[in-house]
Amino acid sequence: LTRTGQVLGTVGYMSPEQVTGGDVDGRSDLYSLGVVAFETLSGRLPFDGSAPVVIVAHATKPAPSLVSVAPHVSPALCVVVDRCLAKNPADRYESGNALAAALEEAVGAHVATATTGFSRGGEERVLTEREAEHVWKRAAELQAGIGSSNPPRPPTAAMTIVPRTITNGFKLEHVRQAAHEAGISAPYVTLALDELLRVRANIAPRASTASSSAPARETSSSPMDVATRMAAAHALTKVRALSPKASRLAGAPMSLLFEVEVPGQLSPDDFDVVAHTIRTMMGEAGIATALGRTLSWSLGGMSNQRRVHISVTAAAGRTQIRAEERMGQHAAAIFGGGIGGGGVGLGMCSFAATMGVLHAPIPAIGVLGSVIAGAYLIARKVFASAAGRRATELEGLVKTLAIQVTELIAHKDTPRGKP
C-alpha cells in the first residue's frame, strides 16, 4: 500500500500523467502497453538511463518512432505503437477495444502485402493430399488468430470436390479455390503455402557449394549430398544428455534433458519453420512463443500428461537447442494405477482368499505383500521403458533441430544470386 501522493512503479513503463501526478485512466495503461510493444519489437526501451532521466523523458520528450529503431517491423504496426506512446492521452486510442481493432487491421494489412516464396512463382507445384489439408488447416488458424470473429472451418480432401492430377495431388489453384469456398481469405492461404514451401526446402538440404565462377543458387541435393551434409551436421553438433541419475524407486530419471549448441545464430525470421518441425515431430500443437531471439515451445495442461518444454536461443554467435520433459505426472499415473489400482486391489482379493483357505493372517499378509511388490516391480519396469522411449524421442528431436538450424544458418549466410 502507498500513501496518498506517493508514486510507486517501474519508471521505464510509466505514462506521462503518472509521472506528473495527473489524472490517470485506461489510456495510461495503453501507454505502458505501448512501451512493452516498443521494447518487444525493437529490443530497447523508448527512454533509457537513470530513473530521474527516464522520468523527465516520459514527461517531456516525444518517444522515438518505432520504425526509426526497428525498420524490420511493418509500418502499419509501427503507427499503432507510436500512437500508444503519444504524450497527450487524448491522442492515444480511446479504449483497449479500439487498440485491438487497430492491431487487427495493421497485422491484416501486413499479411495481405507480405512477400512470400509462392508470390515469386511456383504455381505449378502439386501438393499431396496431406500437404493440402495442412495448408487449409494452417490458413484457417492464421485467419482466426488475426481476429476473424467467425473462424472458417478448413476444408478437407474428403469433403472438397476438386480435380486431382495424375499424381494424385492437388494443383495450387485448386487448393486456393477450395479455401476460398470455405471462407478463408487468399493472403492467409499464401502464407500457409509459403510455410510449407520453406519446410520442404529445409527437409532436403541445399547444395553447400556453387561454382566459383557462378553465383550461388538454390538446387535440389542428391542423396549423396544429403548424406554428406547430414554427416557434417552430426560432426559439428553433439547432443549432451543432461538428465539426472535414475531414481532408485522409479527406476528412471524423473526428468529428461538434452541440449546441443550449433555454431552461428539462427534468425528469428526462421522460428516459424523450427516451430513447425517441433509440432510435426511431437504430434501435438503445443504453445509456441517467441521473445527476442528465443523461441519457446511447451506441451502440457490439464488434458495432457506430458510436460515438455523446448527452447531455441540464438546469442553470442551460437544457437542453443534445449529439450526437457518432466516425468513426475507420468510416474504418478503409472505407479498410482499399477500399485494403487492393480496391486492393492488384487492383493486384497488374494489376502481374502488366503484367509478363507488357511484361516491364518500371517500367510495372508505375506501374499498381500508379494502381490503389491510384484505390482510395484511391473510399474517400475513400465515407467523405465516409457522414460527410455521418451528420452530417445527427445534426443532425436534435438538432433533433427540441430541439423535444420545448421541448414537455416548456412542458407542465410550463403550469398544468393538469381538462378
Side-chain angles (χ1 to χ4, degrees):
L1 298 176
T2 60
R3 294 191 297 269
T4 302
Q6 189 178 30
V7 177
L8 180 64
T10 307
V11 295
Y13 303 88
M14 282 183 154
S15 66
E17 54 269 32
Q18 280 181 300
V19 169
T20 59
D23 293 334
V24 175
D25 57 20
R27 292 171 296 183
S28 177
D29 292 329
L30 297 187
Y31 183 94
S32 299
L33 183 59
V35 176
V36 173
F38 188 101
E39 182 182 19
T40 302
L41 296 169
S42 70
R44 49 158 287 188
L45 289 167
F47 306 110
D48 206 355
S50 63
V53 171
V54 173
I55 288 175
V56 171
H58 275 297
T60 61
K61 292 183 180 179
S65 62
L66 179 58
V67 72
S68 67
V69 295
H72 61 280
V73 179
S74 70
L77 185 55
C78 288
V79 170
V80 174
V81 176
D82 289 346
R83 184 172 173 183
C84 288
L85 295 177
K87 288 288 179 247
N88 188 346
D91 294 332
R92 301 173 205 151
Y93 295 97
E94 62 272 17
S95 66
N97 287 335
L99 172 59
L103 284 172
E104 289 173 6
E105 183 178 351
V107 177
H110 176 66
V111 169
T113 58
T115 301
T116 67
F118 275 88
S119 66
R120 295 190 292 270
E123 290 293 327
E124 296 305 315
R125 288 182 175 85
V126 174
L127 303 186
T128 65
E129 179 175 310
R130 184 176 180 180
E131 288 175 331
E133 291 193 346
H134 169 78
V135 167
W136 288 324
K137 181 179 179 181
R138 180 61 176 149
E141 289 175 353
L142 288 168
Q143 181 165 320
I146 287 176
S148 173
S149 57
N150 295 306
R153 180 181 181 184
T156 65
M159 63 185 281
T160 306
I161 303 176
V162 294
R164 302 188 183 206
T165 67
I166 57 174
T167 60
N168 197 35
F170 296 93
K171 287 186 176 181
L172 296 190
E173 61 176 300
H174 300 142
V175 172
R176 297 182 190 277
Q177 175 188 342
H180 175 73
E181 292 174 356
I184 305 174
S185 300
Y188 304 105
V189 180
T190 300
L191 282 181
L193 286 168
D194 189 57
E195 277 188 11
L196 179 65
L197 172 65
R198 295 178 68 185
V199 170
R200 269 187 176 184
N202 287 294
I203 288 176
R206 302 172 179 84
S208 59
T209 60
S211 170
S212 59
S213 60
R217 66 177 64 191
E218 188 174 331
T219 59
S220 297
S221 300
S222 66
M224 184 61 70
D225 293 329
V226 173
T228 301
R229 290 181 67 84
M230 291 290 189
H234 279 296
L236 287 172
T237 57
K238 182 179 179 181
V239 176
R240 296 188 294 274
L242 304 177
S243 306
K245 293 182 179 180
S247 165
R248 291 185 179 181
L249 289 176
M254 296 304 290
S255 65
L256 307 173
L257 178 60
F258 296 91
E259 181 181 274
V260 67
E261 284 190 350
V262 176
Q265 290 191 191
L266 179 68
S267 169
D269 294 339
D270 293 317
F271 280 173
D272 58 337
V273 179
V274 176
H276 176 80
T277 300
I278 296 172
R279 286 194 297 265
T280 301
M281 294 193 67
M282 293 298 298
E284 299 275 359
I287 300 175
T289 58
L291 180 61
R293 289 190 168 272
T294 298
L295 168 69
S296 297
W297 187 94
S298 299
L299 179 66
M302 297 297 294
S303 60
N304 199 312
Q305 287 189 355
R306 300 196 67 172
R307 295 292 183 272
V308 181
H309 178 73
I310 299 166
S311 65
V312 180
T313 303
R318 305 185 71 81
T319 300
Q320 182 191 69
I321 303 167
R322 189 180 178 96
E324 181 179 11
E325 178 167 6
R326 299 192 178 278
M327 301 292 294
Q329 186 168 339
H330 190 58
I334 291 177
F335 284 97
I339 299 175
V344 174
L346 183 60
M348 291 305 295
C349 292
S350 302
F351 176 85
T354 304
M355 283 293 293
V357 173
L358 301 178
H359 301 288
I362 294 179
I365 292 174
V367 170
L368 173 62
S370 298
V371 172
I372 294 177
Y376 161 71
L377 292 176
I378 293 174
R380 193 174 188 269
K381 186 173 183 180
V382 170
F383 177 70
S385 176
R389 288 194 305 271
R390 294 188 178 184
T392 301
E393 179 185 7
L394 283 185
E395 185 177 12
L397 172 62
V398 170
K399 287 181 179 179
T400 300
L401 293 179
I403 294 171
Q404 183 178 55
V405 168
T406 300
E407 288 290 329
L408 290 168
I409 294 172
H411 178 57
K412 205 80 171 181
D413 295 339
T414 301
R416 306 297 300 276
K418 292 183 179 179

CSV table of all heavy atoms in Angstrom, one decimal, residues 101-155:
chain,number,residue,atom,x,y,z
A,101,ALA,N,-8.7,-3.4,-32.3
A,101,ALA,CA,-9.2,-3.2,-33.7
A,101,ALA,C,-8.1,-2.7,-34.6
A,101,ALA,O,-7.9,-3.1,-35.8
A,101,ALA,CB,-10.4,-2.3,-33.8
A,102,ALA,N,-7.3,-1.7,-34.1
A,102,ALA,CA,-6.2,-1.2,-34.9
A,102,ALA,C,-5.1,-2.2,-35.1
A,102,ALA,O,-4.5,-2.3,-36.2
A,102,ALA,CB,-5.6,0.1,-34.2
A,103,LEU,N,-4.8,-3.0,-34.1
A,103,LEU,CA,-3.8,-4.1,-34.3
A,103,LEU,C,-4.3,-5.1,-35.3
A,103,LEU,O,-3.5,-5.5,-36.1
A,103,LEU,CB,-3.6,-4.7,-32.9
A,103,LEU,CG,-2.7,-3.9,-31.9
A,103,LEU,CD1,-2.7,-4.6,-30.6
A,103,LEU,CD2,-1.3,-3.8,-32.5
A,104,GLU,N,-5.5,-5.5,-35.3
A,104,GLU,CA,-6.1,-6.5,-36.2
A,104,GLU,C,-5.9,-5.9,-37.6
A,104,GLU,O,-5.5,-6.6,-38.6
A,104,GLU,CB,-7.5,-6.8,-35.9
A,104,GLU,CG,-7.7,-7.6,-34.7
A,104,GLU,CD,-9.2,-7.8,-34.3
A,104,GLU,OE1,-10.0,-7.3,-35.1
A,104,GLU,OE2,-9.4,-8.3,-33.2
A,105,GLU,N,-6.3,-4.6,-37.8
A,105,GLU,CA,-6.2,-4.0,-39.1
A,105,GLU,C,-4.7,-3.9,-39.6
A,105,GLU,O,-4.4,-4.2,-40.8
A,105,GLU,CB,-6.8,-2.6,-39.1
A,105,GLU,CG,-6.8,-1.9,-40.5
A,105,GLU,CD,-7.5,-0.6,-40.4
A,105,GLU,OE1,-8.1,-0.3,-39.3
A,105,GLU,OE2,-7.4,0.2,-41.4
A,106,ALA,N,-3.8,-3.6,-38.7
A,106,ALA,CA,-2.4,-3.4,-39.1
A,106,ALA,C,-1.8,-4.8,-39.4
A,106,ALA,O,-1.1,-4.9,-40.5
A,106,ALA,CB,-1.6,-2.8,-37.9
A,107,VAL,N,-2.1,-5.8,-38.6
A,107,VAL,CA,-1.5,-7.1,-38.9
A,107,VAL,C,-2.1,-7.7,-40.2
A,107,VAL,O,-1.4,-8.3,-41.0
A,107,VAL,CB,-1.7,-8.0,-37.7
A,107,VAL,CG1,-1.2,-9.4,-38.0
A,107,VAL,CG2,-1.0,-7.5,-36.5
A,108,GLY,N,-3.4,-7.5,-40.3
A,108,GLY,CA,-4.1,-8.0,-41.5
A,108,GLY,C,-3.5,-7.3,-42.8
A,108,GLY,O,-3.3,-8.0,-43.8
A,109,ALA,N,-3.2,-6.0,-42.7
A,109,ALA,CA,-2.7,-5.3,-43.9
A,109,ALA,C,-1.3,-5.9,-44.2
A,109,ALA,O,-0.9,-6.0,-45.3
A,109,ALA,CB,-2.6,-3.8,-43.6
A,110,HIS,N,-0.5,-6.2,-43.1
A,110,HIS,CA,0.8,-6.8,-43.4
A,110,HIS,C,0.7,-8.1,-44.0
A,110,HIS,O,1.5,-8.5,-44.9
A,110,HIS,CB,1.6,-6.9,-42.0
A,110,HIS,CG,2.9,-7.5,-42.1
A,110,HIS,ND1,3.9,-6.9,-42.8
A,110,HIS,CD2,3.4,-8.7,-41.7
A,110,HIS,CE1,5.0,-7.7,-42.8
A,110,HIS,NE2,4.7,-8.8,-42.1
A,111,VAL,N,-0.2,-9.0,-43.6
A,111,VAL,CA,-0.4,-10.3,-44.1
A,111,VAL,C,-0.8,-10.2,-45.6
A,111,VAL,O,-0.3,-10.9,-46.5
A,111,VAL,CB,-1.5,-11.1,-43.4
A,111,VAL,CG1,-1.8,-12.3,-44.1
A,111,VAL,CG2,-0.9,-11.4,-42.0
A,112,ALA,N,-1.7,-9.2,-45.9
A,112,ALA,CA,-2.1,-9.1,-47.3
A,112,ALA,C,-1.0,-8.7,-48.3
A,112,ALA,O,-1.1,-9.0,-49.5
A,112,ALA,CB,-3.3,-8.1,-47.3
A,113,THR,N,0.0,-8.0,-47.8
A,113,THR,CA,1.0,-7.5,-48.6
A,113,THR,C,2.4,-8.2,-48.4
A,113,THR,O,3.4,-7.8,-49.0
A,113,THR,CB,1.3,-6.0,-48.4
A,113,THR,OG1,1.6,-5.8,-47.0
A,113,THR,CG2,0.0,-5.2,-48.7
A,114,ALA,N,2.4,-9.2,-47.6
A,114,ALA,CA,3.6,-9.9,-47.3
A,114,ALA,C,4.2,-10.6,-48.5
A,114,ALA,O,3.5,-11.2,-49.3
A,114,ALA,CB,3.4,-11.0,-46.2
A,115,THR,N,5.5,-10.5,-48.7
A,115,THR,CA,6.2,-11.2,-49.8
A,115,THR,C,6.5,-12.6,-49.4
A,115,THR,O,7.1,-12.9,-48.3
A,115,THR,CB,7.5,-10.5,-50.1
A,115,THR,OG1,7.2,-9.1,-50.5
A,115,THR,CG2,8.2,-11.2,-51.3
A,116,THR,N,6.1,-13.6,-50.2
A,116,THR,CA,6.3,-15.0,-49.9
A,116,THR,C,6.9,-15.7,-51.0
A,116,THR,O,7.1,-15.2,-52.1
A,116,THR,CB,4.9,-15.7,-49.6
A,116,THR,OG1,4.2,-15.7,-50.8
A,116,THR,CG2,4.1,-14.9,-48.6
A,117,GLY,N,7.4,-16.9,-50.7
A,117,GLY,CA,8.0,-17.7,-51.7
A,117,GLY,C,7.1,-18.0,-52.9
A,117,GLY,O,7.5,-18.0,-54.0
A,118,PHE,N,5.8,-18.2,-52.6
A,118,PHE,CA,4.9,-18.6,-53.6
A,118,PHE,C,4.5,-17.4,-54.5
A,118,PHE,O,4.1,-17.5,-55.6
A,118,PHE,CB,3.6,-19.2,-53.0
A,118,PHE,CG,3.8,-20.7,-52.8
A,118,PHE,CD1,4.3,-21.2,-51.6
A,118,PHE,CD2,3.4,-21.6,-53.8
A,118,PHE,CE1,4.5,-22.5,-51.4
A,118,PHE,CE2,3.6,-22.9,-53.6
A,118,PHE,CZ,4.1,-23.4,-52.4
A,119,SER,N,4.6,-16.2,-53.9
A,119,SER,CA,4.3,-15.0,-54.7
A,119,SER,C,5.4,-14.7,-55.7
A,119,SER,O,5.3,-13.9,-56.6
A,119,SER,CB,4.2,-13.7,-53.8
A,119,SER,OG,5.4,-13.4,-53.2
A,120,ARG,N,6.6,-15.4,-55.6
A,120,ARG,CA,7.6,-15.3,-56.5
A,120,ARG,C,7.6,-16.4,-57.6
A,120,ARG,O,8.6,-16.6,-58.2
A,120,ARG,CB,9.0,-15.2,-55.8
A,120,ARG,CG,9.2,-14.0,-54.9
A,120,ARG,CD,10.6,-13.9,-54.4
A,120,ARG,NE,10.9,-15.0,-53.5
A,120,ARG,CZ,10.7,-14.9,-52.1
A,120,ARG,NH1,10.2,-13.8,-51.6
A,120,ARG,NH2,11.0,-15.9,-51.3
A,121,GLY,N,6.6,-17.1,-57.7
A,121,GLY,CA,6.5,-18.1,-58.7
A,121,GLY,C,6.2,-19.5,-58.0
A,121,GLY,O,6.0,-19.6,-56.8
A,122,GLY,N,6.1,-20.5,-58.9
A,122,GLY,CA,5.9,-21.9,-58.3
A,122,GLY,C,4.5,-22.3,-58.3
A,122,GLY,O,4.1,-23.2,-57.6
A,123,GLU,N,3.6,-21.7,-59.1
A,123,GLU,CA,2.2,-22.1,-59.0
A,123,GLU,C,1.9,-23.4,-59.7
A,123,GLU,O,0.8,-24.0,-59.6
A,123,GLU,CB,1.3,-21.0,-59.7
A,123,GLU,CG,1.2,-19.7,-59.0
A,123,GLU,CD,0.4,-19.8,-57.7
A,123,GLU,OE1,-0.5,-20.6,-57.6
A,123,GLU,OE2,0.8,-19.2,-56.7
A,124,GLU,N,2.9,-24.0,-60.3
A,124,GLU,CA,2.7,-25.3,-61.0
A,124,GLU,C,3.0,-26.4,-60.0
A,124,GLU,O,2.9,-27.6,-60.4
A,124,GLU,CB,3.7,-25.4,-62.2
A,124,GLU,CG,3.4,-24.4,-63.3
A,124,GLU,CD,1.9,-24.5,-63.8
A,124,GLU,OE1,1.4,-25.6,-64.0
A,124,GLU,OE2,1.3,-23.4,-63.9
A,125,ARG,N,3.4,-26.1,-58.8
A,125,ARG,CA,3.6,-27.2,-57.9
A,125,ARG,C,2.4,-28.0,-57.6
A,125,ARG,O,1.2,-27.5,-57.7
A,125,ARG,CB,4.1,-26.6,-56.5
A,125,ARG,CG,5.5,-26.1,-56.6
A,125,ARG,CD,5.9,-25.6,-55.2
A,125,ARG,NE,7.3,-25.2,-55.1
A,125,ARG,CZ,7.7,-23.9,-55.4
A,125,ARG,NH1,6.8,-23.0,-55.8
A,125,ARG,NH2,9.0,-23.6,-55.3
A,126,VAL,N,2.6,-29.3,-57.2
A,126,VAL,CA,1.5,-30.1,-56.9
A,126,VAL,C,1.6,-30.6,-55.5
A,126,VAL,O,2.7,-31.0,-55.0
A,126,VAL,CB,1.4,-31.4,-57.8
A,126,VAL,CG1,0.3,-32.4,-57.4
A,126,VAL,CG2,1.2,-31.0,-59.3
A,127,LEU,N,0.6,-30.4,-54.7
A,127,LEU,CA,0.6,-30.8,-53.3
A,127,LEU,C,0.0,-32.2,-53.1
A,127,LEU,O,-1.0,-32.5,-53.7
A,127,LEU,CB,-0.2,-29.8,-52.4
A,127,LEU,CG,0.3,-28.3,-52.5
A,127,LEU,CD1,-0.5,-27.5,-51.4
A,127,LEU,CD2,1.8,-28.2,-52.3
A,128,THR,N,0.5,-32.9,-52.2
A,128,THR,CA,-0.1,-34.2,-51.8
A,128,THR,C,-1.4,-33.9,-51.0
A,128,THR,O,-1.6,-32.8,-50.6
A,128,THR,CB,0.8,-35.1,-50.9
A,128,THR,OG1,1.1,-34.4,-49.7
A,128,THR,CG2,2.2,-35.3,-51.7
A,129,GLU,N,-2.2,-35.0,-50.8
A,129,GLU,CA,-3.4,-34.8,-50.0
A,129,GLU,C,-3.1,-34.3,-48.6
A,129,GLU,O,-3.8,-33.4,-48.1
A,129,GLU,CB,-4.2,-36.1,-50.0
A,129,GLU,CG,-5.5,-36.0,-49.2
A,129,GLU,CD,-6.3,-37.3,-49.3
A,129,GLU,OE1,-6.5,-37.8,-50.4
A,129,GLU,OE2,-6.7,-37.8,-48.2
A,130,ARG,N,-2.1,-34.8,-48.0
A,130,ARG,CA,-1.7,-34.5,-46.6
A,130,ARG,C,-1.2,-33.0,-46.6
A,130,ARG,O,-1.6,-32.2,-45.7
A,130,ARG,CB,-0.6,-35.4,-46.1
A,130,ARG,CG,-0.2,-35.1,-44.7
A,130,ARG,CD,0.8,-36.1,-44.2
A,130,ARG,NE,1.2,-35.9,-42.8
A,130,ARG,CZ,2.1,-36.7,-42.2
A,130,ARG,NH1,2.6,-37.7,-42.8
A,130,ARG,NH2,2.4,-36.4,-40.9
A,131,GLU,N,-0.4,-32.6,-47.6
A,131,GLU,CA,0.1,-31.2,-47.6
A,131,GLU,C,-1.1,-30.2,-47.9
A,131,GLU,O,-1.1,-29.2,-47.2
A,131,GLU,CB,1.1,-31.1,-48.8
A,131,GLU,CG,2.4,-31.7,-48.4
A,131,GLU,CD,3.4,-31.7,-49.6
A,131,GLU,OE1,2.9,-31.6,-50.8
A,131,GLU,OE2,4.6,-31.7,-49.4
A,132,ALA,N,-2.0,-30.6,-48.7
A,132,ALA,CA,-3.2,-29.7,-49.0
A,132,ALA,C,-4.0,-29.5,-47.7
A,132,ALA,O,-4.4,-28.4,-47.4
A,132,ALA,CB,-4.0,-30.3,-50.1
A,133,GLU,N,-4.2,-30.6,-47.0
A,133,GLU,CA,-5.0,-30.5,-45.7
A,133,GLU,C,-4.3,-29.6,-44.7
A,133,GLU,O,-4.9,-28.9,-43.9
A,133,GLU,CB,-5.3,-31.9,-45.2
A,133,GLU,CG,-6.3,-32.6,-46.1
A,133,GLU,CD,-6.9,-33.9,-45.4
A,133,GLU,OE1,-6.4,-34.3,-44.4
A,133,GLU,OE2,-7.9,-34.4,-45.9
A,134,HIS,N,-2.9,-29.8,-44.7
A,134,HIS,CA,-2.1,-29.0,-43.8
A,134,HIS,C,-2.3,-27.5,-44.1
A,134,HIS,O,-2.4,-26.6,-43.2
A,134,HIS,CB,-0.7,-29.4,-43.8
A,134,HIS,CG,0.2,-28.4,-43.1
A,134,HIS,ND1,0.4,-28.4,-41.7
A,134,HIS,CD2,1.0,-27.4,-43.6
A,134,HIS,CE1,1.2,-27.5,-41.4
A,134,HIS,NE2,1.6,-26.8,-42.5
A,135,VAL,N,-2.2,-27.2,-45.4
A,135,VAL,CA,-2.3,-25.8,-45.8
A,135,VAL,C,-3.7,-25.2,-45.4
A,135,VAL,O,-3.8,-24.1,-44.9
A,135,VAL,CB,-2.1,-25.6,-47.3
A,135,VAL,CG1,-2.5,-24.3,-47.8
A,135,VAL,CG2,-0.6,-25.9,-47.7
A,136,TRP,N,-4.8,-25.9,-45.7
A,136,TRP,CA,-6.1,-25.5,-45.3
A,136,TRP,C,-6.2,-25.2,-43.8
A,136,TRP,O,-6.7,-24.2,-43.4
A,136,TRP,CB,-7.1,-26.5,-45.8
A,136,TRP,CG,-7.3,-26.5,-47.3
A,136,TRP,CD1,-7.2,-25.5,-48.2
A,136,TRP,CD2,-7.6,-27.7,-48.1
A,136,TRP,NE1,-7.4,-25.9,-49.4
A,136,TRP,CE2,-7.6,-27.3,-49.4
A,136,TRP,CE3,-7.7,-29.0,-47.8
A,136,TRP,CZ2,-7.9,-28.2,-50.5
A,136,TRP,CZ3,-8.0,-29.9,-48.8
A,136,TRP,CH2,-8.0,-29.5,-50.2
A,137,LYS,N,-5.7,-26.2,-43.0
A,137,LYS,CA,-5.8,-26.0,-41.6
A,137,LYS,C,-5.0,-24.9,-41.1
A,137,LYS,O,-5.5,-24.1,-40.3
A,137,LYS,CB,-5.4,-27.3,-40.9
A,137,LYS,CG,-5.4,-27.3,-39.4
A,137,LYS,CD,-5.0,-28.6,-38.8
A,137,LYS,CE,-5.0,-28.6,-37.2
A,137,LYS,NZ,-4.6,-29.8,-36.6
A,138,ARG,N,-3.8,-24.7,-41.6
A,138,ARG,CA,-2.9,-23.6,-41.1
A,138,ARG,C,-3.5,-22.3,-41.6
A,138,ARG,O,-3.4,-21.3,-40.8
A,138,ARG,CB,-1.5,-23.8,-41.7
A,138,ARG,CG,-0.5,-22.8,-41.3
A,138,ARG,CD,-0.3,-22.7,-39.8
A,138,ARG,NE,0.7,-21.8,-39.5
A,138,ARG,CZ,0.7,-21.1,-38.3
A,138,ARG,NH1,-0.3,-21.3,-37.5
A,138,ARG,NH2,1.7,-20.2,-38.1
A,139,ALA,N,-4.0,-22.2,-42.8
A,139,ALA,CA,-4.5,-20.9,-43.2
A,139,ALA,C,-5.7,-20.5,-42.4
A,139,ALA,O,-5.9,-19.3,-42.1
A,139,ALA,CB,-5.0,-21.0,-44.7
A,140,ALA,N,-6.6,-21.5,-42.0
A,140,ALA,CA,-7.7,-21.2,-41.2
A,140,ALA,C,-7.2,-20.7,-39.8
A,140,ALA,O,-7.8,-19.8,-39.2
A,140,ALA,CB,-8.6,-22.4,-41.0
A,141,GLU,N,-6.2,-21.3,-39.2
A,141,GLU,CA,-5.6,-20.9,-38.0
A,141,GLU,C,-5.1,-19.5,-38.0
A,141,GLU,O,-5.3,-18.7,-37.1
A,141,GLU,CB,-4.5,-21.8,-37.6
A,141,GLU,CG,-4.9,-23.2,-37.1
A,141,GLU,CD,-3.7,-24.1,-36.9
A,141,GLU,OE1,-2.6,-23.7,-37.1
A,141,GLU,OE2,-3.9,-25.3,-36.4
A,142,LEU,N,-4.4,-19.1,-39.1
A,142,LEU,CA,-3.9,-17.8,-39.3
A,142,LEU,C,-5.0,-16.7,-39.3
A,142,LEU,O,-4.9,-15.7,-38.7
A,142,LEU,CB,-3.0,-17.7,-40.5
A,142,LEU,CG,-1.6,-18.4,-40.5
A,142,LEU,CD1,-1.0,-18.5,-41.9
A,142,LEU,CD2,-0.7,-17.7,-39.5
A,143,GLN,N,-6.0,-17.1,-40.1
A,143,GLN,CA,-7.1,-16.1,-40.2
A,143,GLN,C,-7.8,-15.9,-38.9
A,143,GLN,O,-8.2,-14.8,-38.5
A,143,GLN,CB,-8.1,-16.6,-41.3
A,143,GLN,CG,-9.3,-15.6,-41.5
A,143,GLN,CD,-10.0,-15.8,-42.8
A,143,GLN,OE1,-9.4,-16.1,-43.8
A,143,GLN,NE2,-11.3,-15.7,-42.7
A,144,ALA,N,-8.0,-17.0,-38.2
A,144,ALA,CA,-8.7,-17.0,-36.9
A,144,ALA,C,-7.8,-16.2,-35.9
A,144,ALA,O,-8.3,-15.4,-35.0
A,144,ALA,CB,-9.0,-18.4,-36.4
A,145,GLY,N,-6.5,-16.4,-35.9
A,145,GLY,CA,-5.6,-15.8,-34.9
A,145,GLY,C,-5.5,-14.3,-35.1
A,145,GLY,O,-5.1,-13.6,-34.2
A,146,ILE,N,-5.8,-13.8,-36.3
A,146,ILE,CA,-5.6,-12.4,-36.6
A,146,ILE,C,-6.8,-11.6,-36.3
A,146,ILE,O,-6.9,-10.4,-36.4
A,146,ILE,CB,-5.0,-12.2,-38.0
A,146,ILE,CG1,-3.6,-12.6,-38.0
A,146,ILE,CG2,-5.1,-10.8,-38.5
A,146,ILE,CD1,-2.9,-12.6,-39.3
A,147,GLY,N,-7.9,-12.3,-35.9
A,147,GLY,CA,-9.0,-11.5,-35.5
A,147,GLY,C,-10.4,-11.8,-36.1
A,147,GLY,O,-11.3,-11.0,-36.0
A,148,SER,N,-10.5,-12.8,-36.9
A,148,SER,CA,-11.8,-13.1,-37.5
A,148,SER,C,-12.8,-13.6,-36.4
A,148,SER,O,-12.5,-14.4,-35.6
A,148,SER,CB,-11.6,-14.3,-38.6
A,148,SER,OG,-12.9,-14.7,-39.0
A,149,SER,N,-13.9,-12.9,-36.4
A,149,SER,CA,-14.9,-13.3,-35.4
A,149,SER,C,-15.6,-14.6,-35.6
A,149,SER,O,-16.0,-15.2,-34.7
A,149,SER,CB,-16.0,-12.2,-35.3
A,149,SER,OG,-16.6,-12.0,-36.5
A,150,ASN,N,-15.6,-15.0,-36.9
A,150,ASN,CA,-16.2,-16.3,-37.3
A,150,ASN,C,-15.1,-17.1,-38.0
A,150,ASN,O,-15.1,-17.1,-39.2
A,150,ASN,CB,-17.4,-16.1,-38.1
A,150,ASN,CG,-18.5,-15.4,-37.4
A,150,ASN,OD1,-18.9,-15.9,-36.3
A,150,ASN,ND2,-19.0,-14.3,-37.9
A,151,PRO,N,-14.2,-17.8,-37.3
A,151,PRO,CA,-13.2,-18.5,-38.0
A,151,PRO,C,-13.7,-19.6,-38.9
A,151,PRO,O,-14.7,-20.3,-38.5
A,151,PRO,CB,-12.4,-19.2,-36.8
A,151,PRO,CG,-12.8,-18.5,-35.6
A,151,PRO,CD,-14.2,-17.9,-35.9
A,152,PRO,N,-13.2,-19.7,-40.1
A,152,PRO,CA,-13.8,-20.7,-41.0
A,152,PRO,C,-13.4,-22.1,-40.7
A,152,PRO,O,-12.3,-22.3,-40.0
A,152,PRO,CB,-13.1,-20.3,-42.4
A,152,PRO,CG,-11.8,-19.7,-42.0
A,152,PRO,CD,-12.1,-18.9,-40.7
A,153,ARG,N,-14.1,-23.0,-41.1
A,153,ARG,CA,-13.8,-24.4,-40.9
A,153,ARG,C,-13.0,-24.9,-42.1
A,153,ARG,O,-13.5,-24.8,-43.2
A,153,ARG,CB,-15.1,-25.3,-40.7
A,153,ARG,CG,-14.8,-26.8,-40.5
A,153,ARG,CD,-16.0,-27.6,-40.4
A,153,ARG,NE,-15.7,-29.0,-40.2
A,153,ARG,CZ,-16.7,-29.9,-40.1
A,153,ARG,NH1,-18.0,-29.6,-40.2
A,153,ARG,NH2,-16.4,-31.2,-39.9
A,154,PRO,N,-11.8,-25.3,-41.9
A,154,PRO,CA,-11.0,-25.7,-43.1
A,154,PRO,C,-11.6,-26.9,-43.9
A,154,PRO,O,-12.1,-27.8,-43.2
A,154,PRO,CB,-9.6,-26.0,-42.5
A,154,PRO,CG,-9.9,-26.4,-41.1
A,154,PRO,CD,-11.0,-25.6,-40.7
A,155,PRO,N,-11.5,-26.8,-45.2
A,155,PRO,CA,-12.0,-28.0,-45.9
A,155,PRO,C,-11.0,-29.2,-45.8
A,155,PRO,O,-9.9,-29.0,-45.2
A,155,PRO,CB,-11.9,-27.5,-47.4
A,155,PRO,CG,-10.9,-26.4,-47.4
A,155,PRO,CD,-11.0,-25.8,-46.0
